[in-house]
Amino acid sequence: MKALFYILIFFVIATAFWQFFKLLGLTKKDQVATEKENNINGWLMLGLGGFVYGLMLYSMFQGRVVLLPRQSASLEGEDIDKLFVITMGLILVVQFITQFLIYYFTFKYRGIKGRKALFYADSHKLEMWWTVAPTIVLSVLIIYGLWTWNNVQDLSDSENPLIIEVYAKQFVWEARYAGDDNELGVGHVNFIKGINTMGVDMTDKNSADDIPVRELHLPKGRKVIFKFRSQDVLHSAYMPHFRAQINCVPGMITSFGFTPTVTTEDMRLDEDTKAKFDAINELRRSNGNEEIVEFDYLLLCNKICGASHYNMQMKVVVEEEEDFNKWLKEQKTLAEVINN
Amino acid sequence: MSDHHHHKETFITKYIFSQDHKMIAKQYLITGMFMGVVGVFMSMLFRLQLAYPDQSFSIIEAFLGKGGEGGQMTPDMYMGLVTIHGTIMVFFVLTAGLSGTFSNLLIPLQIGARDMASGFLNMISYWLFFISSLIMFLSIFVHTGMASAGWTIYPPLSALPQAMAGSGLGMTLWLVSMAIFIASSLMGS
């Protein structure tokens, strides 16, 4: 496989040079393509169209096993999925038609001796339709998208939400739960000192019962509101299974909320997830890696934040409310951690 | 056309500091193709690493030296290659290819004009582009690392050398190159 890659690299560079020297001759005087050249180019274009479509379908088919589990793990994610499917369906239809026309017309109207171009100045009717139709379709899509996003981002109607602050820094995530009073103590980068790595103001009365953690646990069926801060550069909190993503910006607080609906255990038993992880483990075995991986929800960084950006992640566990409460009880509060 | 060209053209005015839109288009084409080869080669290297993350390739060590010790690319080198590849492809290949080559070559011919409206500015545009390409190309070899905050160059990652090695001299050169490129693009259009 390596040898093939080397050959491919050599081939591409050689082609680049060949094209380069060929192009230099293109601006010579009185150079007109012959009938044969036009035919070759026409057929090549048609071939390229077929090749590109083939490659696209093949990639979609081959890649299906390593994609995300199909089921959204949050209530709000279902709306985002619906939006995604509708948009994607529309795009696929339109791209099939337009791409087909581009390739086919390039082939059909290739240079043939004696053929004259049709002089077709304009048609207001045609122009109106190709302006109005995309405008309507795009407006509907954009308004629908905005509406969905506003609904997801509207956190005002949530009853008894769980409040968690997620703190991003090169190259780890930290988090703290709001604790018994369900209010986060003030956090600012100036308060970072020693063990107080999230920069929590310990004189704030809301701070003492906050619970710092290195692994997120979420209760199933309860709205969770995340507040994001960043210590150094831009990060992006990305929880693909819950269809959630928002930037973490130094100096400001961004937020996102969702209601987890599927526990980690249930997701592992899901047929679709199982099939995917069987395939992934099979792939790992074929690469000589015997360690079996299991499904886990993840919080990832999705904005380039430095050299170890690729490895910036945090495990997320969704469990039943009682298991969650039990786990939260076992965690130490900030007052206990910092004052000892 | 022949009325205008009474004076004799020397090699320098015809091929180097040329004000002829066709020659300028060819100059753009050559520079753009060179940058294209550089950009494609970079993408080959980092995609090779991406496709086989746990294997080592002698070609990576041969070309990247310390950034590819043992045939595996370091994360810093990977980010740098991705960044410069993106920059080169967007600004130095697509722009040089489309507005530099095709617009320069075809638009005067298509509208039946003798040349671009201002040949002198057009010439300056190319030579600024050349300088900008040169700086961008040389910035790859900076000792502390090339600009590596992704081609979108989001601050503060791109602004602080403490955040990432490439945000030092490499990023400064990137910005200088871009400023010249923007001036070039302004004069060309």
Side-chain angles (χ1 to χ4, degrees):
Chain A
M1 208 56 193
K2 255 191 207 178
L4 189 71
F5 250 102
Y6 285 139
I7 293 169
L8 211 68
I9 290 178
F10 174 77
F11 181 72
V12 170
I13 291 175
T15 316
F17 274 104
W18 177 63
Q19 287 279 351
F20 177 63
F21 287 114
K22 204 150 181 262
L23 272 171
L24 286 183
L26 262 188
T27 46
K28 275 189 195 130
K29 264 188 186 159
D30 304 328
Q31 200 184 11
V32 178
T34 63
E35 187 98 337
K36 197 177 155 210
E37 283 169 338
N38 281 333
N39 267 328
I40 292 176
N41 274 325
W43 282 102
L44 276 179
M45 198 66 179
L46 204 61
L48 179 69
F51 175 73
V52 170
Y53 273 132
L55 200 64
M56 183 184 105
L57 293 174
Y58 175 78
S59 309
M60 281 168 119
F61 180 74
Q62 280 290 312
R64 76 198 186 284
V65 291
V66 289
L67 294 178
L68 287 176
R70 223 172 294 141
Q71 189 185 0
S72 161
S74 75
L75 204 60
E76 291 74 5
E78 285 164 22
D79 294 334
I80 301 221
D81 276 357
K82 213 190 290 167
L83 175 71
F84 180 81
V85 167
I86 290 173
T87 314
M88 208 59 193
L90 217 93
I91 288 174
L92 274 178
V93 171
V94 174
Q95 86 97 23
F96 260 103
I97 295 171
T98 49
Q99 292 291 308
F100 174 77
L101 290 181
I102 286 175
Y103 286 112
Y104 180 68
F105 281 167
T106 319
F107 166 73
K108 193 180 172 198
Y109 297 111
R110 66 190 186 276
I112 288 175
K113 225 173 216 139
R115 177 192 273 167
K116 277 212 171 126
L118 173 70
F119 181 73
Y120 190 80
D122 54 19
S123 158
H124 289 300
K125 210 169 159 190
L126 192 66
E127 273 176 44
M128 187 190 79
W129 278 114
W130 81 44
T131 313
V132 169
T135 310
I136 293 174
V137 173
L138 285 177
S139 302
V140 168
L141 273 185
I142 289 169
I143 291 168
Y144 178 40
L146 278 176
W147 181 74
T148 307
W149 178 247
N150 282 338
N151 282 348
V152 169
Q153 277 293 71
D154 180 17
L155 305 172
S156 59
D157 61 340
S158 34
E159 284 168 30
N160 184 29
L162 178 69
I163 295 177
I164 305 175
E165 182 190 68
V166 175
Y167 196 43
K169 65 171 100 169
Q170 287 179 325
F171 302 98
V172 280
W173 295 100
E174 286 183 66
R176 79 183 146 122
Y177 287 76
D180 293 335
D181 59 359
N182 213 13
E183 285 217 35
L184 289 163
V186 173
H188 191 276
V189 74
N190 285 349
F191 296 113
I192 294 179
K193 196 182 167 191
I195 200 168
N196 188 356
T197 50
M198 292 181 77
V200 183
D201 179 6
M202 290 311 288
T203 57
D204 187 340
K205 65 176 177 14
N206 295 324
S207 300
D209 65 339
D210 289 356
I211 301 163
V213 292
R214 287 300 176 108
E215 184 178 294
L216 275 179
H217 282 239
L218 309 175
K220 176 184 163 183
R222 184 173 165 197
K223 183 104 175 180
V224 186
I225 292 181
F226 292 94
K227 308 263 178 202
F228 297 99
R229 288 195 299 135
S230 165
Q231 180 185 320
D232 34 43
V233 299
L234 284 179
H235 298 272
S236 182
Y238 180 43
M239 289 179 262
H241 307 99
F242 305 99
R243 319 297 192 238
Q245 172 171 332
I246 202 146
N247 277 6
C248 308
V249 186
M252 70 186 266
I253 297 173
T254 50
S255 58
F256 204 96
F258 60 76
T259 316
T261 50
V262 190
T263 63
T264 303
E265 287 305 315
D266 287 345
M267 201 53 139
R268 281 179 183 165
L269 295 174
D270 178 65
E271 285 303 318
D272 178 44
T273 316
K274 255 189 178 159
K276 277 176 179 141
F277 272 75
D278 284 347
I280 289 170
N281 281 317
E282 186 56 43
L283 205 67
R284 286 167 68 89
R285 248 198 309 282
S286 70
N287 286 340
N289 195 337
E290 290 294 330
E291 192 196 346
I292 302 283
V293 287
E294 259 189 321
F295 172 81
D296 258 315
Y297 293 119
L298 286 174
L299 163 64
L300 301 161
C301 181
N302 205 13
K303 183 139 285 154
I304 290 183
C305 63
S308 296
H309 159 72
Y310 68 96
N311 206 17
M312 181 167 165
Q313 53 178 284
M314 190 190 224
K315 186 172 153 184
V316 180
V317 179
V318 178
E319 50 200 3
E320 298 293 342
E321 182 109 34
E322 59 223 69
D323 295 327
F324 166 76
N325 289 334
K326 214 171 92 193
W327 171 84
L328 198 63
K329 281 250 158 51
E330 293 165 6
Q331 308 302 313
K332 283 184 181 158
T333 63
L334 260 181
E336 286 171 320
V337 172
I338 289 180
N339 294 336
N340 289 333
Chain B
M1 180 137 186
S2 53
D3 297 345
H4 291 278
H5 286 271
H6 292 306
H7 60 275
K8 197 168 176 280
E9 287 205 277
T10 63
F11 179 81
I12 288 181
T13 57
K14 190 167 178 209
Y15 291 105
I16 298 176
F17 295 107
S18 168
Q19 299 186 21
D20 172 25
H21 72 104
K22 281 184 187 167
M23 185 51 70
I24 292 174
K26 277 187 228 176
Q27 290 172 328
Y28 263 114
L29 182 65
I30 294 170
T31 322
M33 291 286 284
F34 173 76
M35 291 306 264
V37 170
V38 173
V40 167
F41 184 64
M42 286 177 145
S43 94
M44 289 272 175
L45 287 180
F46 69 71
R47 292 207 163 102
L48 190 64
Q49 181 70 73
L50 193 62
Y52 300 98
D54 42 8
Q55 293 192 33
S56 60
F57 297 89
S58 47
I59 188 173
I60 286 179
E61 191 170 15
F63 278 97
L64 304 179
K66 257 200 172 151
E69 224 154 28
Q72 290 210 325
M73 212 175 271
T74 60
D76 272 319
M77 179 54 80
Y78 183 87
M79 296 291 243
L81 287 182
V82 172
T83 303
I84 300 291
H85 163 76
T87 311
I88 285 182
M89 282 308 185
V90 171
F91 297 105
F92 295 90
V93 178
L94 289 180
T95 311
L98 294 181
S99 84
T101 308
F102 286 117
S103 318
N104 254 331
L105 185 69
L106 298 179
I107 287 178
L109 297 180
Q110 280 180 332
I111 63 175
R114 277 195 301 272
D115 202 321
M116 297 290 264
S118 172
F120 185 69
L121 273 188
N122 206 9
M123 177 188 84
I124 297 180
S125 159
Y126 170 71
W127 284 104
L128 286 184
F129 175 76
F130 180 80
I131 294 171
S132 146
S133 311
L134 200 66
I135 295 175
M136 187 59 77
F137 181 66
L138 292 180
S139 85
I140 300 171
F141 304 102
V142 167
H143 180 66
T144 48
M146 54 191 122
S148 43
W151 77 268
T152 43
I153 315 290
Y154 286 127
L157 181 64
S158 60
L160 304 172
Q162 297 94 319
M164 177 173 231
S167 297
L169 183 58
M171 179 54 70
T172 309
L173 287 175
W174 191 96
L175 288 172
V176 170
S177 164
M178 264 306 140
I180 299 174
F181 173 84
I182 289 162
S184 146
S185 162
L186 182 72
M187 289 181 190
S189 51

